[in-house]
């Protein structure tokens, strides 16, 4: 404890000294506070004495100050006419209006007093003249937009009728905007577009946006500041009236501008480059957003969007027409190439080359068109990502309207060559064959490739129904089938024509004994061989039935295979024709029916078989209409044997050729007056020599 007290002794001593000093300081502070209180009491007493002494003088000073202010106001009122006249002379119209509006309430309040009545009359006369000057300046077409706005503001301050001012403001603005529209109309080519537009479409859009659209935005903003907002604060009805006038005015002038833009865009008939048109439409769409934001009530957004959508649709239509024209030119060139004589040995390969050239030309042209159209959906184009544009444009416009429309047109155009009569009847058979292969290639691969390419480049969000690939492929295959069937028919009729003329122009009863194969039969074999080479360049071989070892050595009797005596009745003689006819008819009941004009398959064997069936069927029907002598029958035997030697190898079934040739010989025998046949060995010698 002693140690604790010893260690803190100095602290106790210091604390004692501090307490002693505090007592002394508080005593001094109490003395000073007492002194301060006595001083404040003295000051209060002296202040009260002074206020009492100056009370009368303060009231007089206040009264004199009010009189001075009143005199200054009266002086301002008496000097107001002079001031207003001076401001009007100096052109400080705004200062004059401020002076007048500042004093107007006082003048109206005291206008019954004679002195104020004169001042009021003078000011009204001066301000009436100022209002007249402002109206003249307001009607001056050379005034700038800022000057026009200042005039309107001053006139409203002078309490001019708001409706008249709105109409005059819009009339003056309409005059200036109409001048700009007239200049744009001259660039379009005048009314009706009789002359060619001046400059490119991008330059036209730039001048319209930088001039007309910018001034229209300034007019709208100025009108809203001067009339709509000011009048709306005065009363809801006045504000609604001003807004309605502005909406009607903007719709009228913008409607004229939209018509000019649409006419200028429609004048772009070329399809080589879309870049200027797309950039122009993008700039038009971008700048019109400012007008739409300034005045949403005018409903200009859908109108501007409609112009862009219609312009894009018009370009797609023009591109479709260009593709159709290109296809027509390709087909014309193809016909000319097919009609041009070719060097010996190059006829066949030329057909395959023409097909490759035609197919690649059409596909490359379609790709070029898609590349041009793709500019409408580029990332830097403002309207390209809008739902109202991209979905409809990509799905219904590009895919359905352009690509699907062109594919359908191609198939339809190719199918028109199958029509009989008119110019189509003179269609070269090679063109039919080539177009059938083209349509078949479209069915197998090209249609799918084109639509896949289109879907990759134009990813639309539209859910409208589209044409399935299977439908287009089915249409292409149908066109290919029609063309190939028509090709077989045309080639068969060409060969049939030679056979028909050879039968009809010969005297078969009085003809001489045959020593050679007729030249027409050689020509038939040559034509069939040429057709075989032609078809083989574009179509695969196909499947044939197995050939017998003696396919080229079959013989023909006076009767068909259903009439051969040794096969059915060993005791049958030609003196019993009724029995022979009965056997023939019975055999036909059990034989397979031959459909001459049945659809052919997409291979060479089927095509050649169809042509041979038509040709031999024509030969058979012509024979049935003629009468023959002995040598006429023998000549038919020789001709049929010659045809058998060569035609069996082209058909899918050699039995079909043999059956038809057998029918021809049998029918000739029935129409023969003296049915004596030639020995088979002699026939073979003649055919080998032929």
């Amino acid at each position: 404890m002693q140690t604790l007290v010893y260690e803190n002794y100095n602290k106790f001593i210091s604390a004692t000294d501090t307490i002693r000093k505090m007592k002394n300081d508080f005593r001094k502070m109490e003395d000073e506070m007492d002194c301060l209180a006595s001083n404040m009491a003295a000051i209060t007493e002296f202040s009260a004495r002074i206020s009492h002494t100056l009370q009368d003088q303060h009231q007089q000073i206040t009264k004199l100050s009010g009189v001075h202010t009143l005199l200054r106001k009266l002086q301002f009122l008496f000097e107001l006419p002079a001031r207003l006249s001076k401001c009007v002379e100096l052109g400080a119209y705004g200062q004059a209006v401020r002076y007048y509006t500042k004093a107007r309430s006082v003048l109206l309040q005291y206008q019954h007093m004679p002195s104020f009545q004169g001042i009021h009359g003078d000011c009204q006369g001066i301000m009436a003249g100022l209002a007249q000057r402002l109206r003249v300046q307001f009607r001056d077409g050379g005034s700038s937009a800022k000057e026009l706005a200042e005039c309107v503001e001053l006139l409203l301050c002078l309490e001019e009728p708001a409706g008249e001012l709105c109409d005059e403001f819009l009339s003056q603005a309409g005059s200036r905007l109409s001048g700009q529209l007239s200049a744009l109309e001259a660039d379009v080519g005048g009314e009706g577009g009789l002359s060619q537009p001046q400059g490119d479409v991008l330059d036209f859009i730039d001048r319209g946006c930088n001039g007309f659209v910018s001034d229209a935005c300034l007019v709208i903003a100025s009108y809203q500041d001067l009339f709509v907002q000011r009048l709306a604060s005065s009363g809801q009805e006045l504000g609604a009236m001003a807004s309605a006038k502005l909406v009607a005015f903007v719709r009228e002038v913008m409607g004229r501008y939209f018509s000019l833009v649409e006419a200028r865009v429609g004048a772009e008939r070329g399809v080589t480059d879309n870049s200027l048109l797309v950039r122009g439409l993008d700039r038009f769409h971008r700048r019109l957003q400012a007008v739409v934001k300034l005045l949403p009530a005018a409903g200009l957004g859908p109108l501007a969007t409609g112009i862009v959508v219609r312009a894009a649709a018009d370009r797609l239509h023009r591109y479709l027409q260009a593709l159709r024209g290109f296809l027509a030119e390709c087909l014309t060139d193809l016909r000319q190439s097919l009609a041009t004589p070719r060097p010996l040995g190059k006829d066949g390969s030329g057909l395959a080359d023409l097909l490759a050239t035609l197919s690649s030309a059409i596909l490359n042209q379609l790709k070029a068109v898609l590349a041009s159209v793709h500019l409408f959906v580029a990332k830097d184009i403002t309207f390209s990502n809008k739902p109202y544009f991209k979905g409809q444009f990509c799905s219904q416009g590009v895919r359905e309207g352009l690509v699907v429309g062109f594919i359908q047109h191609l198939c339809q155009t190719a199918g028109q060559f199958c029509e009989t009569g008119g110019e189509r009847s003179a269609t070269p058979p090679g063109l039919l064959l080539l177009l059938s292969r083209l349509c078949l290639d479209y069915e197998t691969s090209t249609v799918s490739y084109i639509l896949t390419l289109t879907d990759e480049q134009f990813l639309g969000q539209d859910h409208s129904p589209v044409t399935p690939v299977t439908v287009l492929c089915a249409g292409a295959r149908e066109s290919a089938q029609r063309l190939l069937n028509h090709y077989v028919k045309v080639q068969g009729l060409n060969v049939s024509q030679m056979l028909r003329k050879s039968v009809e122009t010969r005297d078969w009863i009085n003809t001489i004994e045959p020593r050679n194969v007729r030249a027409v039969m050689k020509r038939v074999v040559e034509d069939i061989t040429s057709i075989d080479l032609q078809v083989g360049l574009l179509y695969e071989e196909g499947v044939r039935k197995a050939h017998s070892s003696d396919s080229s050595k079959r013989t023909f009797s006076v009767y068909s295979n259903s009439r051969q005596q040794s096969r059915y009745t060993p005791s049958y003689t030609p003196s019993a024709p009724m029995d022979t006819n009965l056997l023939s008819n019975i055999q036909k009941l059990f034989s397979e029916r031959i459909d001459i004009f049945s659809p052919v398959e997409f291979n060479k064997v089927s095509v050649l078989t169809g042509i041979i069936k038509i040709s031999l069927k024509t030969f058979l029907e012509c024979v049935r209409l003629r009468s023959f002598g002995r040598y006429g029958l023998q000549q038919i035997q020789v001709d049929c044997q010659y045809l058998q030697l060569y035609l069996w190898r082209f058909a899918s079934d050699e039995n079909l050729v043999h059956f038809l040739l057998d029918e021809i010989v049998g029918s000739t025998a029935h129409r023969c007056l003296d049915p004596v046949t030639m020995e088979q060995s002699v026939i073979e010698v003649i055919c080998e020599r032929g």
Side-chain angles (χ1 to χ4, degrees):
M1 187 66 180
Q2 293 179 353
T3 304
L4 183 61
V5 172
Y6 178 77
E7 291 178 352
N8 293 282
Y9 179 75
N10 292 331
K11 296 180 180 180
F12 285 122
I13 297 299
S14 177
T16 303
D17 294 340
T18 300
I19 293 171
R20 189 179 296 113
K21 289 180 180 180
M22 290 177 64
K23 287 182 178 180
N24 295 331
D25 292 338
F26 274 112
R27 288 193 187 98
K28 293 180 180 180
M29 185 178 296
E30 289 178 358
D31 296 339
E32 291 177 354
M33 290 298 295
D34 293 339
C35 182
L36 179 62
S38 62
N39 290 336
M40 290 299 296
I43 292 172
T44 302
E45 183 181 357
F46 283 121
S47 176
R49 291 177 182 177
I50 293 173
S51 298
H52 180 72
T53 303
L54 298 178
Q55 180 68 31
D56 296 336
Q57 296 180 359
H58 176 72
Q59 292 177 354
Q60 293 177 359
I61 291 172
T62 303
K63 184 177 181 180
L64 291 174
S65 177
V67 172
H68 177 71
T69 303
L70 179 61
L71 290 174
R72 288 184 60 186
K73 290 181 179 179
L74 290 174
Q75 182 182 5
F76 176 80
L77 290 176
F78 285 119
E79 294 177 353
L80 182 60
R83 288 191 180 191
L84 293 179
S85 299
K86 189 66 174 179
C87 290
V88 171
E89 291 176 2
L90 296 177
Y93 301 149
Q95 186 67 35
V97 171
R98 284 192 292 272
Y99 284 157
Y100 178 72
T101 54
K102 183 178 180 181
R104 180 168 50 193
S105 60
V106 177
L107 291 174
L108 290 174
Q109 184 178 359
Y110 297 101
Q111 63 179 347
H112 61 280
M113 300 177 66
S115 57
F116 287 100
Q117 187 176 6
I119 296 173
H120 183 248
D122 294 340
C123 291
Q124 278 188 328
I126 295 171
M127 297 313 294
L130 176 59
Q132 187 65 28
R133 288 192 180 190
L134 289 174
R135 282 189 176 273
V136 171
Q137 183 178 351
F138 183 73
R139 297 188 183 98
D140 184 13
S143 301
S144 64
K146 184 177 181 181
E147 294 174 346
L148 202 63
E150 184 178 357
C151 286
V152 171
E153 185 176 4
L154 295 178
L155 288 170
L156 286 176
C157 291
L158 294 176
E159 296 183 347
E160 293 291 322
E164 293 182 6
L165 292 178
C166 290
D167 293 337
E168 289 190 18
F169 180 87
L170 294 178
S171 176
Q172 294 297 325
S175 299
R176 291 186 292 106
L177 294 176
S178 295
Q180 295 176 340
L181 289 175
S182 299
L184 293 175
E185 186 176 358
D187 292 343
V188 171
E191 292 191 22
L194 299 178
S195 59
Q196 289 295 328
Q198 301 176 6
D200 56 58
V201 64
L202 181 59
D203 179 63
F204 175 84
I205 296 294
D206 279 340
R207 282 186 284 111
C209 291
N210 296 333
F212 173 80
V213 176
S214 297
D215 284 357
C217 291
L218 183 60
V219 168
I220 294 172
S222 301
Y223 185 93
Q224 288 177 335
D225 291 339
L226 296 175
F227 296 104
V228 177
Q229 297 177 3
R230 185 184 299 269
L231 296 178
S233 61
S234 301
Q236 187 175 3
E237 293 183 358
L238 290 176
M241 178 270 297
S243 298
K245 289 180 179 291
L246 178 62
V247 169
F249 169 78
V250 170
R251 284 179 178 174
E252 179 184 357
V253 295
M254 294 305 294
R256 290 180 57 191
Y257 175 63
F258 288 163
S259 299
L260 292 176
V261 171
E262 195 158 15
R264 182 61 184 87
V265 170
E268 292 291 307
R269 295 182 175 87
V271 292
T272 54
D273 186 14
N274 265 342
S275 58
L276 291 178
L277 176 62
V278 174
R279 287 167 56 195
L281 290 174
D282 176 60
R283 200 159 300 177
F284 167 77
H285 184 271
R286 193 192 305 267
R287 293 294 296 272
L288 257 295
Q289 300 308 308
V291 183
V292 173
K293 291 179 181 178
L294 277 174
L295 194 63
L300 300 178
L303 298 177
T305 301
I307 292 177
V308 175
V309 171
R310 287 192 296 272
D314 180 68
R315 298 307 291 174
L316 292 178
H317 177 71
R318 293 186 186 277
Y319 273 116
L320 178 59
Q321 297 301 321
L323 285 173
R324 290 180 175 180
F326 179 79
L327 176 63
E329 292 176 0
C330 289
L331 294 178
T332 301
D333 295 340
L334 187 61
R335 296 187 71 159
Q336 292 177 354
S337 300
L338 291 172
T340 302
R342 294 180 177 273
L344 188 63
K346 294 188 178 181
D347 294 346
S349 60
L351 197 62
D353 294 340
L354 289 175
L355 174 62
T357 302
L358 176 64
S359 180
S360 62
I362 294 175
L363 188 58
N364 291 335
Q365 186 70 13
L366 186 56
K367 288 181 179 179
V369 167
L370 290 177
S372 298
V373 173
H374 191 265
L375 294 174
F376 281 96
V377 293
K379 293 182 179 179
D380 58 339
I381 303 301
T382 54
F383 57 79
S384 63
N385 291 321
K386 302 296 182 182
Y388 56 77
F389 176 81
K390 187 172 184 180
Q392 186 74 11
F393 176 77
C394 294
S395 175
Q396 299 301 313
V398 178
R399 190 187 190 278
E400 292 298 303
L402 181 63
V403 177
V404 174
F406 175 68
I407 294 175
Q408 292 175 342
H409 172 74
L410 186 147
C411 296
Q412 182 181 3
T413 302
Q416 289 177 355
F417 287 97
C418 300
E419 298 175 0
T420 57
E423 296 181 358
R424 300 293 184 185
S425 60
T427 304
L431 180 60
L432 296 172
L433 183 66
L434 194 147
L435 290 178
S436 70
R437 183 65 208 191
L438 178 68
C439 292
L440 184 63
D441 290 341
Y442 267 69
E443 185 264 337
T444 54
S445 61
T446 309
V447 170
S448 300
Y449 171 74
I450 292 175
L451 290 182
T452 301
L453 180 66
T454 304
D455 293 338
E456 290 176 353
Q457 292 184 2
F458 299 89
L459 297 175
Q461 304 298 325
D462 189 52
H463 299 289
S464 302
V466 295
T467 305
V469 179
T470 53
V471 174
L472 293 177
C473 291
R477 187 175 185 86
E478 180 183 358
S479 297
Q481 186 69 62
R482 288 180 59 198
L483 286 163
L484 194 59
N485 291 342
H486 192 61
Y487 172 79
V488 170
K489 181 179 178 181
V490 170
Q491 292 288 44
L493 293 179
N494 289 338
V495 176
S496 299
Q497 186 73 3
M498 293 187 296
L499 292 172
R500 185 179 65 82
K501 289 183 178 180
S502 69
V503 174
E504 292 178 352
T505 58
R506 191 180 182 94
D507 185 2
W508 294 99
I509 297 177
N510 300 319
T511 186
I512 62 174
E513 184 178 359
R515 290 290 181 265
N516 294 296
V517 179
R518 286 189 300 154
V520 67
M521 298 302 163
K522 298 179 181 179
R523 177 66 184 275
V524 168
V525 173
E526 291 175 359
D527 287 355
I528 296 296
T529 304
S530 176
I531 293 171
D532 178 75
L533 294 174
Q534 188 182 58
V535 177
L537 291 167
L538 301 180
Y539 284 99
E540 292 75 15
E541 181 70 22
V543 180
R544 285 190 177 93
K545 291 185 178 180
H547 295 157
S548 61
S549 58
D550 59 344
S551 297
S552 61
K553 296 182 180 180
R554 290 195 176 184
T555 60
F556 305 100
S557 66
V558 183
Y559 308 98
S560 64
N561 55 2
S562 61
R563 304 181 182 92
Q564 294 180 13
Q565 300 171 357
S566 59
R567 186 174 301 180
Y568 302 105
T569 55
S571 61
Y572 177 74
T573 61
S575 61
M578 293 301 296
D579 294 339
T580 304
N581 290 335
L582 179 62
L583 290 173
S584 174
N585 293 330
I586 292 175
Q587 180 64 20
K588 286 182 179 180
L589 291 176
F590 295 97
S591 62
E592 184 178 355
R593 180 178 177 272
I594 299 176
D595 190 358
I596 303 299
F597 293 98
S598 61
V600 296
E601 299 176 2
F602 294 103
N603 58 71
K604 183 179 72 172
V605 172
S606 180
V607 172
L608 269 295
T609 302
I611 296 173
I612 291 173
K613 287 193 297 183
I614 294 175
S615 303
L616 296 183
K617 181 64 174 178
T618 303
F619 193 10
L620 174 61
E621 296 302 325
C622 291
V623 164
R624 289 174 175 173
L625 297 177
R626 303 287 292 178
S627 297
F628 295 87
R630 176 191 300 179
Y631 297 134
L633 170 61
Q634 294 177 0
Q635 183 66 60
I636 295 296
Q637 283 185 282
V638 172
D639 293 343
C640 290
Q641 181 65 31
Y642 182 81
L643 293 177
Q644 173 64 29
L645 289 174
Y646 295 98
L647 295 186
W648 66 270
R649 68 193 71 200
F650 300 115
S652 59
D653 186 3
E654 60 177 304
N655 293 325
L656 183 145
V657 177
H658 185 74
F659 176 81
L660 290 174
L661 291 174
D662 205 7
E663 284 288 323
I664 293 171
V665 176
S667 296
T668 306
H670 282 293
R671 299 290 299 174
C672 184
L673 302 177
D674 185 16
V676 178
T677 59
M678 180 179 287
E679 293 293 333
Q680 184 61 33
S681 59
V682 178
I683 295 175
E684 293 177 357
V685 170
I686 294 175
C687 291
E688 291 175 1
R689 187 174 58 194

